[in-house]
Amino acid sequence: MKIIRVKRSESPMKRRIAINLILFLAVLASCAPAESTNKTPTAVVAGETVNQSPVESEATARPTIEPFRFVLPTPGAEPVSGWRPPLYPVPWAVSAYDHFYFARPIAADTVNWPLAEYRYGGVFFAPNIVHTGVDIDAADGSPILAAGPGTVVSADWGLYTEAPGNQKDPYGQAVVIKHDFGYKGQPIYTIYAHMSKIIAFQGQRVETGDVLGLVGATGATTGPHLHFEVRLGANTFYSTYNPELWMAPPQGWGVLVGRLTDEEGQLLNQYPVEVRPMPSEVPLRTVRTYAGGVVNPDPYYQENLVLSDLPAGLYKVLLNYKGKDQQFWIEIYPGQISYFTFTDEEGFQVVPPPVPTLDFLPETATAIP
């Protein structure tokens, strides 16, 4: 560094300039570049391996830059659509012999159709235990509704054993309604069983849609559901008829009814019958025939097979009888019953139901005193 000497004889102004020059040169000398000890940080992308030497400790490690991560719920099972059109208004009858008098005992916003695997006349628990109604697989606690107007004649345990309060009764907690109307001059009753809670009471007057209780699993059940029966003539275990012939179908849908007999004219019992919508070759339903015991055929149709809630259209019906496949096609019409027969000699036929006897007088929903 060059040193500038200042003579005392110089003027004060020159002296100040010289001092400032010395200070300026000193500042420049102190600003000489020095080797840096800090390296420029390198961004680390998630998933990229970066070799560092030496390895940084956890205390001094730089945070890595990670992309956004979305935690999505585990996918569940695909929902099963149970949508169906609204029901026909009750009472509904296209034919003079029809008797769709009842609304569904479960509201339309949930499952309110018969369980396919255990229909009227079905055998599940044992060969000698025959199903005398239909099961509706509604959720536990769902409201159970009156299917028609009438009077509650029983609301308790003990329906089957006829012992009120018997908590070992297979029906569990059940409600019985005697309806304001009948059929062929006979009274009609509906049964609502396996309730978790009874809301109605004996002697209560109810209208269609009134809440009777809640779906449950009391009595002989494998899980929560509603067991629904239609009884004609008397409120007894042996007076039941197929509820699928009494509940109004969804609008635009119909009901398949058949009478299948052997070479001696006896009703076929527990024969599986496939029903396929055309042109599909996939069975829509497999329904079994029923006969005898505690179940009864309709007074007019004399059936042993019923499959309700079928959208209108053409269907193929298949039966394996004596090792031979039999099949035919039948049209389902909106709001109507499509009837067929099967005999050992003639196979399938689409024919009118049997001619009613002289004492058969079909009625609409007539009042019962």
Side-chain angles (χ1 to χ4, degrees):
M1 177 183 295
K2 183 179 180 180
I3 300 177
I4 301 176
R5 298 181 181 275
V6 180
K7 296 181 179 180
R8 294 182 180 271
S9 59
E10 294 177 342
S11 66
M13 177 64 70
K14 291 182 178 180
R15 187 181 299 115
R16 284 196 295 270
I17 293 173
I19 293 173
N20 289 338
L21 180 60
I22 293 171
L23 293 175
F24 176 73
L25 293 175
V27 170
L28 288 178
S30 66
C31 292
E35 185 178 359
S36 175
T37 58
N38 295 324
K39 297 181 180 180
T40 302
T42 302
V44 179
V45 181
E48 179 180 342
T49 302
V50 178
N51 294 325
Q52 296 181 353
S53 180
V55 178
E56 296 177 336
S57 67
E58 292 185 2
T60 60
R62 302 183 188 91
T64 58
I65 302 174
E66 296 190 7
F68 287 111
R69 293 181 179 179
F70 296 94
V71 180
L72 301 177
T74 302
E78 289 292 328
V80 177
S81 174
W83 179 88
R84 298 188 179 200
L87 305 178
Y88 284 102
V90 292
W92 178 262
V94 174
S95 163
Y97 304 103
D98 292 342
H99 38 65
F100 296 119
Y101 292 170
F102 296 116
R104 302 293 168 98
I106 298 292
D109 60 352
T110 186
V111 175
N112 69 347
W113 52 88
L115 186 66
E117 293 78 14
Y118 198 35
R119 297 180 180 273
Y120 183 74
V123 175
F124 180 76
F125 293 100
N128 61 336
I129 300 179
V130 181
H131 202 207
T132 54
V134 294
D135 287 348
I136 298 178
D137 192 24
D140 190 19
S142 299
I144 298 172
L145 313 177
T151 301
V152 176
V153 295
S154 177
D156 201 348
W157 300 80
L159 176 63
Y160 178 77
T161 56
E162 299 182 358
N166 179 11
Q167 297 191 12
K168 295 183 179 180
D169 192 278
Y171 279 82
Q173 296 192 93
V175 168
V176 181
I177 297 177
K178 180 181 180 181
H179 291 280
D180 295 341
F181 48 83
Y183 186 74
K184 291 187 61 181
Q186 301 181 73
I188 300 177
Y189 302 83
T190 50
I191 313 299
Y192 312 77
H194 305 313
M195 293 183 177
S196 62
K197 179 181 180 180
I198 294 177
I199 296 175
F201 55 88
Q202 186 173 356
Q204 179 183 352
R205 166 74 192 174
V206 294
E207 300 294 336
T208 303
D210 285 353
V211 177
L212 305 175
L214 304 179
V215 169
T218 57
T221 70
T222 57
H225 69 277
L226 169 65
H227 174 84
F228 179 69
E229 289 184 9
V230 174
R231 296 179 175 182
L232 177 62
N235 180 25
T236 69
F237 181 72
Y238 298 94
S239 301
T240 65
Y241 291 80
N242 196 326
E244 293 187 67
L245 287 173
W246 295 83
M247 295 187 298
Q251 294 182 23
W253 295 23
V255 181
L256 180 66
V257 177
R259 176 180 171 85
L260 298 86
T261 58
D262 60 17
E263 63 274 10
E264 297 179 355
Q266 299 297 313
L267 294 174
L268 299 181
N269 189 21
Q270 299 305 313
Y271 273 73
V273 177
E274 287 188 4
V275 180
R276 301 178 182 178
M278 300 303 295
S280 172
E281 288 299 321
V282 178
L284 174 68
R285 287 284 185 270
T286 298
V287 58
R288 289 184 175 271
T289 60
Y290 53 86
V294 296
V295 295
N296 301 287
D298 185 78
Y300 175 58
Y301 291 105
Q302 294 295 306
E303 90 299 336
N304 62 334
L305 179 144
V306 177
L307 181 57
S308 62
D309 289 15
L310 289 175
L314 184 64
Y315 289 79
K316 180 190 288 187
V317 179
L318 302 96
L319 167 70
N320 185 282
Y321 182 67
K322 293 184 176 180
K324 183 179 180 180
D325 290 334
Q326 307 271 358
Q327 65 181 29
F328 84 115
W329 289 261
I330 189 169
E331 189 82 19
I332 299 296
Y333 296 99
Q336 301 182 44
I337 286 177
S338 296
Y339 184 83
F340 73 91
T341 63
F342 174 85
T343 62
D344 182 63
E345 294 182 355
E346 299 178 348
F348 285 109
Q349 287 186 308
V350 179
V351 297
V355 177
T357 58
L358 293 177
D359 62 346
F360 183 87
L361 298 175
E363 300 177 359
T364 56
T366 52
I368 294 294

